[in-house]
Amino acid sequence: MTPGNRKGMFYMYKIMTPGPTQVAENVRLARSLPCTNPDLDEDFVEFYKETCEKISRLLHTKNETLILGGEGILGLEAACASITEPGDQVLVLDNGIYGKGFADFVSMYGGIPSLYTVDGRSPIDVTELEAFLSKSHDYKYATVVHGDTPSGVLNDIGKLCPLLKKYGILTVVDSVSAMFGEEVRADRAQIDLLCGGSQKVVSAPPGLAFVTISADAKKAIKERKTPIASFYANLKVFEHYYEEKWFPYTMPISDIYGLRAAIDNIEADKDILKRHAAIGAAARYAVTKAGLTLYLKSGFSSTVTVFEVPKGTTDKAILTSMKKDHKILLAGSFGSLSGKVIRIGHMGENANVSDMAEVFGALDEVFAKLGVILKTSLKTAFLGSLPG
């Protein structure tokens, strides 16, 4: 739950959005630990490095991880800024709003983006991409979105990234909303720059990004002919931080304490992928059983369910009633999907039966209030479809 204040009245919302998510009590408490000076205390440097190494292990990679002091998008920009030089040809895999958005980062740092645009209601087809690459593969790197939060589509990075690597193309992967809710094996997938964030499945407050960096990515950064056109969105400035016990800027220590607690929670949760898959499947079943329409045709993420706004009402009416009458925050979408869909985030701390049942029970009441007739109760269908 999250506090709010309106005209002096204190109230709480249950955050069931596709990020930020609810935050566990031990994560909140970790953020209240006494602060040291992260610039001078070498014990904190050790703590930072240990946390980075734990993230790498959980992502099944031997590559170095860096934690950056900024919201998840900082990792995406820093990855692009660090390897893009003026005139670089970059392939932007586009089957969603975030996929297309990578082109902005590429252009911002002088690269030339080429969009590979396909149906946004389905994942990128590996066979079709290979047919394209067999004729056109002169790219320095490609950008890939693992889970596109605005639409909920999930791309198979385990197949896409090795294919790109086969043609000598580096990969920048946005897995901010998917990692830890979907399987990520970074080394097996040969991912060069893998980006995550604190506020999605990790279930820490927003404010941190992290990036794993392969040897090939480090080589590309080291062999640049032009300087990186940013200081803050720049992975190279962390080079030798551990040996020199010196960070390029003051690290947000309380945020990192909270992140470590959240990462520890993930490590201890041996069924995290299985739970996300079960919750996601049950949510989609409930939506379709009730007569609502899922936005996607295929490629459903286990971390977010997206359904079309039914006729006779609006996204604003649904979201407002959920918030006002039930103190639950869901999300609409933006860009080309603005006003067209409702998104339920079942990632990290949100991926549990109790909270999801509450969401669907509230939606049952909201749709009845708005005059939308369902074929069956969303809550009943959700609970009835869960395994066991």
Side-chain angles (χ1 to χ4, degrees), residues 176-224:
V176 173
S177 71
M179 64 169 57
F180 306 122
E182 298 284 354
E183 184 174 53
V184 177
R185 293 185 172 271
D187 283 353
R188 182 186 296 176
Q190 303 175 62
I191 298 170
D192 290 297
L193 291 158
L194 173 63
C195 305
S198 59
Q199 77 272 29
K200 302 282 188 174
V201 182
V202 174
S203 293
L208 294 176
F210 44 90
V211 183
T212 71
I213 313 169
S214 74
D216 285 347
K218 287 185 176 182
K219 184 173 184 289
I221 294 170
K222 184 177 182 180
E223 294 180 353
R224 292 176 59 103

Side-chain angles (χ1 to χ4, degrees), residues 115-130:
L115 269 65
Y116 176 84
T117 302
V118 295
D119 183 5
R121 292 186 180 229
S122 301
I124 294 167
D125 185 280
V126 178
T127 303
E128 292 178 1
L129 179 61
E130 178 151 33

Side-chain angles (χ1 to χ4, degrees), residues 344-360:
I344 305 171
H346 37 79
M347 52 178 66
E349 288 296 309
N350 292 11
N352 67 82
V353 173
S354 176
D355 284 337
M356 287 294 290
E358 184 177 344
V359 166
F360 282 126

Side-chain angles (χ1 to χ4, degrees), residues 216-269:
D216 285 347
K218 287 185 176 182
K219 184 173 184 289
I221 294 170
K222 184 177 182 180
E223 294 180 353
R224 292 176 59 103
K225 295 179 176 62
T226 58
I228 297 171
S230 175
F231 177 81
Y232 205 71
N234 183 335
L235 300 175
K236 194 174 191 301
V237 294
F238 282 85
E239 193 174 28
H240 307 308
Y241 83 87
Y242 181 68
E243 294 82 358
E244 297 171 2
K245 303 295 186 286
W246 183 260
F247 292 108
Y249 50 82
T250 301
M251 301 307 293
I253 182 170
S254 295
D255 289 346
I256 293 172
Y257 283 159
L259 176 67
R260 173 60 175 270
I263 293 297
D264 288 345
N265 289 346
I266 290 170
E267 183 179 46
D269 189 353

Side-chain angles (χ1 to χ4, degrees), residues 1-319:
M1 305 290 277
T2 185
N5 190 287
R6 181 184 298 157
K7 297 181 180 179
M9 297 181 65
F10 188 77
Y11 58 96
M12 303 290 285
Y13 292 133
K14 184 182 293 292
I15 308 174
M16 295 299 292
T17 58
T21 61
Q22 300 179 81
V23 176
E25 182 68 12
N26 70 323
V27 174
R28 289 195 291 268
L29 290 174
R31 287 167 53 83
S32 69
L33 292 171
C35 289
T36 184
N37 185 326
D39 292 327
L40 301 175
D41 189 340
E42 293 189 6
D43 287 342
F44 176 76
V45 180
E46 296 294 335
F47 180 83
Y48 174 93
K49 185 171 186 287
E50 289 171 5
T51 304
C52 290
E53 290 172 343
K54 181 168 283 195
I55 293 171
S56 290
R57 287 197 303 274
L58 291 172
L59 294 173
H60 302 283
T61 181
K62 295 177 182 177
N63 294 336
E64 180 181 27
T65 292
L66 295 175
I67 300 168
L68 311 180
E71 193 267 343
I73 202 168
L74 174 61
L76 308 180
E77 181 173 347
C80 292
S82 298
I83 62 171
T84 306
E85 294 195 74
D88 282 345
Q89 298 291 328
V90 180
L91 182 64
V92 175
L93 301 190
D94 164 31
N95 67 326
I97 293 170
Y98 284 171
K100 188 186 299 293
F102 257 123
D104 294 334
F105 290 138
V106 173
S107 299
M108 190 182 302
Y109 292 99
I112 302 171
S114 295
L115 269 65
Y116 176 84
T117 302
V118 295
D119 183 5
R121 292 186 180 229
S122 301
I124 294 167
D125 185 280
V126 178
T127 303
E128 292 178 1
L129 179 61
E130 178 151 33
F132 169 83
L133 291 173
S134 68
K135 301 174 183 177
S136 176
H137 52 260
D138 189 17
Y139 302 103
K140 181 175 184 179
Y141 71 93
T143 61
V144 187
V145 174
H146 188 193
D148 189 69
T149 325
S151 67
V153 71
L154 184 76
N155 290 311
D156 190 345
I157 57 174
K159 293 181 180 178
L160 292 171
C161 293
L163 171 61
L164 290 158
K165 200 72 169 180
K166 171 184 169 182
Y167 286 94
I169 303 170
L170 297 172
T171 53
V172 174
V173 174
D174 170 6
S175 188
V176 173
S177 71
M179 64 169 57
F180 306 122
E182 298 284 354
E183 184 174 53
V184 177
R185 293 185 172 271
D187 283 353
R188 182 186 296 176
Q190 303 175 62
I191 298 170
D192 290 297
L193 291 158
L194 173 63
C195 305
S198 59
Q199 77 272 29
K200 302 282 188 174
V201 182
V202 174
S203 293
L208 294 176
F210 44 90
V211 183
T212 71
I213 313 169
S214 74
D216 285 347
K218 287 185 176 182
K219 184 173 184 289
I221 294 170
K222 184 177 182 180
E223 294 180 353
R224 292 176 59 103
K225 295 179 176 62
T226 58
I228 297 171
S230 175
F231 177 81
Y232 205 71
N234 183 335
L235 300 175
K236 194 174 191 301
V237 294
F238 282 85
E239 193 174 28
H240 307 308
Y241 83 87
Y242 181 68
E243 294 82 358
E244 297 171 2
K245 303 295 186 286
W246 183 260
F247 292 108
Y249 50 82
T250 301
M251 301 307 293
I253 182 170
S254 295
D255 289 346
I256 293 172
Y257 283 159
L259 176 67
R260 173 60 175 270
I263 293 297
D264 288 345
N265 289 346
I266 290 170
E267 183 179 46
D269 189 353
K270 304 306 180 185
D271 291 325
I272 190 168
L273 296 180
K274 189 180 297 183
R275 186 178 73 255
H276 277 80
I279 291 286
R284 295 190 298 273
Y285 175 83
V287 166
T288 54
K289 189 74 172 177
L292 300 171
T293 303
L294 293 168
Y295 173 71
L296 295 176
K297 299 174 184 175
S298 60
F300 301 97
S301 171
S302 294
T303 63
V304 55
T305 291
V306 184
F307 63 89
E308 296 178 3
V309 175
K311 292 180 180 179
T313 189
T314 64
D315 64 329
K316 184 176 180 180
I318 296 166
L319 298 173

